[in-house]
Amino acid sequence: MIKVAPSILSANFARMGEDVKMLNQSGADWIHFDVMDGHFVPNITFGPGMCAAVRPLTALPLDVHLMVSDPAFWVDPFHKAGADWLSIHAETDKNAVQTLEKIRSLGMKAGVVLNPATPVDMAEPLLPYCDLVLLMSVNPGFGGQAFIPSVLEKIQALRGMVDALGLAIEIEADGGINPKTAKLCREAGASVLVAGNAVFSAENPADMIRSLRG
């Protein structure tokens, strides 16, 4: 079944608790956290404190995407904050295998992230060490960008790799996801869709989540 992971980057920060409760009631599968440090990407969002604040408000898995220059440093803080999934960018971690193994050793699910311009082959040697590969379908750093169609070929290629190896790895698409692009991602082989504006600006978020899931 396709999972939908609304990104709280698009939530109203002044009423985060209410927005999280809305996601609980609207059929979201996971809650996605876009963590930016102002170094790896030119923006700053939130850190472990937000994750810890949201954790008591939901039983949904918390899916944390680290857009940071030193992901290994943040593994322990996000584990303590209650993260369930923790994903690191292959472009920024020279010791990615070690970091992924640490994430798993703490009982979290480990993920690898690739930017739109990063070849999908970069993820192949890391697949045995992760539970998820997140393919960015926009350039990381800001919400509300348009979907990059060439990422669909990467989703298809990654699906082929994962299936050929017989691995149970989620393939997540993040950026510019709406009902039209969600359908394309599903058809290409994605199993998790991150959606921000599409969910939080919808008149009926539950209907939008059902539409994205297909």
Side-chain angles (χ1 to χ4, degrees):
M1 187 176 103
I2 302 297
K3 302 175 183 68
V4 177
S7 170
I8 62 167
L9 181 61
S10 296
N12 184 335
F13 285 15
R15 44 170 290 170
M16 183 63 72
E18 295 174 50
D19 278 359
V20 169
K21 291 176 183 177
M22 176 274 290
L23 296 178
N24 291 338
Q25 298 164 1
S26 297
D29 298 288
W30 298 354
I31 296 178
H32 189 80
F33 287 71
D34 288 300
V35 177
M36 307 179 194
D37 66 354
H39 295 282
F40 180 60
V41 292
N43 198 6
I44 297 173
T45 54
F46 38 71
M50 181 68 81
C51 187
V54 167
R55 180 72 283 174
L57 304 178
T58 184
L60 295 174
L62 303 185
D63 174 34
V64 177
H65 170 197
L66 294 178
M67 286 173 269
V68 300
S69 58
D70 186 8
F73 175 83
W74 294 104
V75 173
D76 283 319
F78 274 99
H79 171 248
K80 292 175 183 176
D84 298 287
W85 294 77
L86 195 61
S87 298
I88 65 171
H89 272 264
E91 302 91 352
T92 190
D93 195 330
K94 296 179 180 178
N95 299 301
V97 170
Q98 181 178 341
T99 304
L100 293 167
E101 289 181 326
K102 181 177 181 181
I103 292 169
R104 282 178 154 185
S105 74
L106 293 172
M108 295 181 286
K109 300 290 188 179
V112 169
V113 189
L114 301 181
N115 282 338
T118 302
V120 72
D121 290 348
M122 191 168 181
E124 189 168 12
L126 302 176
L127 293 179
Y129 306 96
C130 63
D131 306 285
L132 174 148
V133 177
L134 192 167
L135 296 178
M136 293 298 298
S137 42
V138 298
N139 290 304
F142 299 92
Q145 298 180 63
F147 183 85
I148 299 174
S150 61
V151 174
L152 294 170
E153 295 178 8
K154 293 175 65 177
I155 295 174
Q156 291 175 331
L158 181 61
R159 172 54 65 194
M161 288 181 193
V162 168
D163 290 350
L165 292 170
L167 297 173
I169 292 177
E170 301 279 8
I171 298 178
E172 187 171 31
D174 181 1
I177 299 297
N178 56 44
K180 180 180 178 180
T181 57
K183 182 176 185 292
L184 297 174
C185 289
R186 295 194 309 265
E187 291 173 347
S191 58
V192 184
L193 303 173
V194 176
N197 291 338
V199 171
F200 286 98
S201 65
E203 184 175 344
N204 188 321
D207 285 348
M208 176 57 67
I209 289 171
R210 282 192 291 270
S211 176
L212 296 173
R213 189 179 289 123

